[in-house]
């Protein structure tokens, strides 16, 4: 996969290092030449320039990128790059870093952002996920605020314990995508039985979160009707 990362600071470099270790093709764009030497990244390509300039993005051949990650420390830059990537170069997937939580509302499809990553909000969610057992925790907002990745840790008294995945009537717009059990990820199948302590991960619309939360509450389980 070809990934262009704008901003080679600590965040951009960390993303690049991880993606390189997974065999992806990485191009980093940064206006400061000195970051190339101090990054310590091996295998990445570099372009020194202003990513808000069309000429720089043309030189980067942005139209060939599968994903553009706007990871600079300036929200204005991240918004402009995402918008240009979508409107001028037709990039299929854009990820924008939100530095100031007050700007979170701007990072949507009107600015060409597919996924907004708000680090303080994500850190808060991860803290809540560590302590909130029995409640639905939103980990990441996707598709311009329409959908989300949420997590539910099954408490000892949950009504879903002992039920198979296929026997539960999940909300129409919610999909169970993974189960984490004893630190082992499981791809859910209809025959998997839910147990206490399981971490359930769902892709769901924001509108369906309340319905999913109600379903997972004690005494609220809905069984699939018998055929």
């Amino acid at each position: 996969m070809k990934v262009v990362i704008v901003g080679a600071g600590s965040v951009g470099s960390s993303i690049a290092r991880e993606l390189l270790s997974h065999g992806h093709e990485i191009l980093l764009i940064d206006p400061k030449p000195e970051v190339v030497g101090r990054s310590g990244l091996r295998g990445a390509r570099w372009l020194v320039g202003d990513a808000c300039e069309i000429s720089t993005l043309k030189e980067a051949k942005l139209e060939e990128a599968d994903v553009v990650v706007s990871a600079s420390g300036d929200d204005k830059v991240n918004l402009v790059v995402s918008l240009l990537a979508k409107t001028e170069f037709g990039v299929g997937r854009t990820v924008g870093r939100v530095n100031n939580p007050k700007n979170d509302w701007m990072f949507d499809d009107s600015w060409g952002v597919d996924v907004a990553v708000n680090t303080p909000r994500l850190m808060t969610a991860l803290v809540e996920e560590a302590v909130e057992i029995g409640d639905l925790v939103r980990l990441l907002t996707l598709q311009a605020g329409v959908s989300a990745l949420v997590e539910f840790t099954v408490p000892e008294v949950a009504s879903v314990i002992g039920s198979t995945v296929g026997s539960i009537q999940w909300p129409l717009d919610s999909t169970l995508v993974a189960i984490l059990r004893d630190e082992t990820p499981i791809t859910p199948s209809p025959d998997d039985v839910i147990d206490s302590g399981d971490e359930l991960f769902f892709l769901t619309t924001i509108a369906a979160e309340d319905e999913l939360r109600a379903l997972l509450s004690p005494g609220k389980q809905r069984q699939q009707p018998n055929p």
Side-chain angles (χ1 to χ4, degrees):
M1 183 169 64
K2 294 182 179 180
V3 182
V4 174
I5 300 174
V6 174
S10 58
V11 173
S13 296
S14 296
I15 296 170
R17 187 172 293 106
E18 187 73 15
L19 291 173
L20 285 168
S21 70
H22 294 165
H24 298 294
E25 182 180 335
I26 305 299
L27 170 65
L28 290 114
I29 304 176
D30 198 281
K32 301 176 182 178
E34 60 268 22
V35 301
V36 179
R38 72 186 184 205
S39 71
L41 292 172
R42 294 184 179 182
R45 294 187 298 117
W46 290 85
L47 178 59
V48 176
D50 184 355
C52 292
E53 297 287 343
I54 290 285
S55 58
T56 301
L57 299 181
K58 285 183 177 178
E59 187 177 351
K61 297 182 179 179
L62 212 66
E63 68 278 2
E64 298 179 2
D66 297 298
V67 181
V68 169
V69 180
S70 301
S72 82
D74 189 327
D75 284 344
K76 296 188 294 295
V77 170
N78 295 340
L79 286 170
V80 169
V81 170
S82 296
L83 184 62
L84 291 175
K86 278 290 185 183
T87 59
E88 299 296 325
F89 297 92
V91 176
R93 183 77 162 173
T94 58
V95 179
R97 173 189 177 190
V98 184
N99 295 278
N100 186 343
K102 293 181 179 179
N103 296 330
D104 191 43
W105 64 274
M106 300 174 66
F107 283 73
D108 59 19
D109 56 354
S110 65
W111 278 95
V113 180
D114 292 317
V115 179
V117 180
N118 184 325
T119 303
R121 177 175 294 175
L122 181 58
M123 291 178 68
T124 300
L126 292 173
V127 170
E128 291 176 339
E129 188 270 333
V131 297
E132 295 288 339
I133 297 177
D135 195 13
L136 203 65
V137 177
R138 187 185 300 177
L139 299 179
L140 191 64
T141 302
L142 307 168
Q143 292 185 341
V146 175
S147 302
L149 175 66
V150 299
E151 184 271 352
F152 179 84
T153 300
V154 181
E156 294 181 357
V157 294
S159 57
V160 294
I161 293 175
S163 299
T164 61
V165 171
S167 71
I168 300 173
Q169 188 180 347
W170 303 106
L172 183 61
D173 295 326
S174 298
T175 302
L176 179 63
V177 295
I179 300 172
L180 190 63
R181 179 177 297 159
D182 298 328
E183 301 183 355
T184 301
I186 300 170
T187 301
S189 71
D191 296 328
D192 283 318
V193 177
I194 296 174
D195 198 2
S196 172
D198 284 353
E199 293 185 56
L200 310 180
F201 293 84
F202 298 87
L203 281 179
T204 179
T205 60
I206 303 299
E209 278 189 8
D210 287 342
E211 188 178 358
L212 182 61
R213 182 178 288 107
L215 169 64
L216 293 168
S217 299
K220 297 295 185 179
Q221 181 183 343
R222 298 180 301 181
Q223 299 290 332
Q224 295 282 10
N226 292 327

